[in-house]
Amino acid sequence: MLMGDTCTRGCRFCSIKTARRPPPLDPDEPYNTAKAIAAWGLDYVVLTSVDRDDIADGGADHFAKTVHNLKERDSRILVECLTPDFRGDLAAVEKIALSGLDVYAHNVETVRELQRFVRDPRANFDQSLSVLKHSKKVKPTLLTKTSIMLGLGETDQQILDTLTELREAGVDCLTLGQYMQPTKRHLKVEEYVTPERFAHWEKVGNEMGFAYTASGPLVRSSYKAGEFFLKNLLKKRIAEAPVAE
């Protein structure tokens, strides 16, 4: 996780520390992070971060520098960036989309109807959708990915409508998992969704045309089985890409 352990937002499902002005960024973090990851010998890595609304570009340049440093050390490492929404700043989104990453991930978190109830007021469904759309617009070969929590009181129709909007926005990969209340101060779980219902939504996602749908109580936006699938999908795309003359 980049840019510290303190977020400028206060979503009602998340227990991370919050502050209006977290400590300043470490300018050496992009270099040091890339050095460490390359030394670990990973072939797939997920870079994520807190929200940093206190920084002009939301930390987009910091993210991009980390990807640049990592790809310079080992171009074979596949990089997924799970980013904030940058307050809808599409220039910030573009900076990361063109940084050399392989998967651009940004989570809508919940259905459209529950956004204001679940997320910080500075976040919303359309803003998140614009992040996913724009990353694909500036680099069509990017895989885009998002995640939804179930068990917050959403209806089946709301889930279906959300999935439809995500596919219409060109999102490639989708994960659905059970919301778990981190502390008593956070949103209560309204429903423990059955494995059968999760299996249903995985089937629906695949039928709708998502390249990859993972749906289960313990599924999270980044987890090993998903990374394995994406790694193989990306390698297949690279192998099939025409060689530039």
Side-chain angles (χ1 to χ4, degrees):
M1 188 167 75
L2 302 173
M3 301 194 283
D5 63 356
T6 305
C7 189
T8 53
R9 306 233 178 138
C11 296
R12 298 181 67 197
F13 64 88
C14 182
S15 62
I16 200 162
K17 289 192 294 184
T18 63
R20 287 188 177 182
R21 291 200 171 276
L25 299 182
D26 174 4
D28 296 324
E29 184 178 44
Y31 173 84
N32 290 334
T33 300
K35 182 180 178 181
I37 291 169
W40 294 337
L42 301 178
D43 55 7
Y44 191 105
V45 65
V46 180
L47 302 174
T48 189
S49 77
V50 291
D51 279 276
R52 291 298 300 257
D53 298 300
D54 59 313
I55 301 169
D57 71 348
D61 189 59
H62 199 79
F63 242 117
K65 283 179 180 176
T66 307
V67 178
H68 285 311
N69 275 284
L70 191 48
K71 289 288 189 174
E72 280 181 2
R73 285 181 172 273
D74 188 348
S75 61
R76 297 168 300 176
I77 296 177
L78 298 172
V79 181
E80 174 182 331
C81 289
L82 175 56
T83 78
D85 60 19
F86 302 111
R87 304 182 301 276
D89 178 0
L90 298 184
V93 173
E94 189 164 328
K95 188 177 291 185
I96 296 176
L98 298 177
S99 67
L101 81 169
D102 302 284
V103 179
Y104 197 115
H106 171 68
N107 293 340
V108 297
E109 307 294 6
T110 185
V111 299
R112 176 182 285 278
E113 291 80 1
L114 295 181
Q115 292 281 316
R116 289 191 65 80
F117 176 65
V118 172
R119 302 174 77 190
D120 185 278
R122 287 163 287 186
N124 64 74
F125 192 83
D126 288 320
Q127 187 164 273
S128 288
L129 214 57
S130 73
V131 169
L132 293 161
K133 283 181 179 178
H134 194 69
S135 61
K136 177 80 78 172
K137 179 182 177 181
V138 298
K139 191 176 180 185
T141 57
L142 267 184
L143 282 178
T144 51
K145 177 182 171 187
T146 198
S147 183
I148 299 171
M149 298 174 288
L150 301 185
L152 287 160
E154 66 286 329
T155 67
D156 282 356
Q157 187 60 52
Q158 289 169 348
I159 299 170
L160 184 61
D161 290 346
T162 299
L163 267 56
T164 300
E165 286 201 74
L166 291 171
R167 273 307 295 139
E168 289 174 348
V171 174
D172 298 297
C173 307
L174 171 70
T175 65
L176 301 99
Q178 173 68 50
Y179 166 66
M180 300 296 288
Q181 184 182 22
T183 75
K184 290 181 179 180
R185 295 182 292 104
H186 292 83
L187 288 172
K188 292 182 179 179
V189 176
E190 294 295 328
E191 177 189 8
Y192 287 101
V193 180
T194 65
E196 291 75 20
R197 290 310 291 166
F198 275 111
H200 165 76
W201 290 118
E202 183 165 328
K203 181 172 182 287
V204 169
N206 289 331
E207 290 173 348
M208 291 177 77
F210 288 99
Y212 171 69
T213 306
S215 179
L218 300 180
V219 169
R220 295 297 179 258
S221 60
S222 298
Y223 77 115
K224 198 63 185 174
E227 291 169 12
F228 179 78
F229 179 89
L230 292 177
K231 180 174 67 178
N232 289 327
L233 179 60
L234 287 163
K235 286 182 176 178
K236 182 181 177 183
R237 283 192 173 189
I238 291 168
E240 293 174 350
V243 178
E245 296 181 2

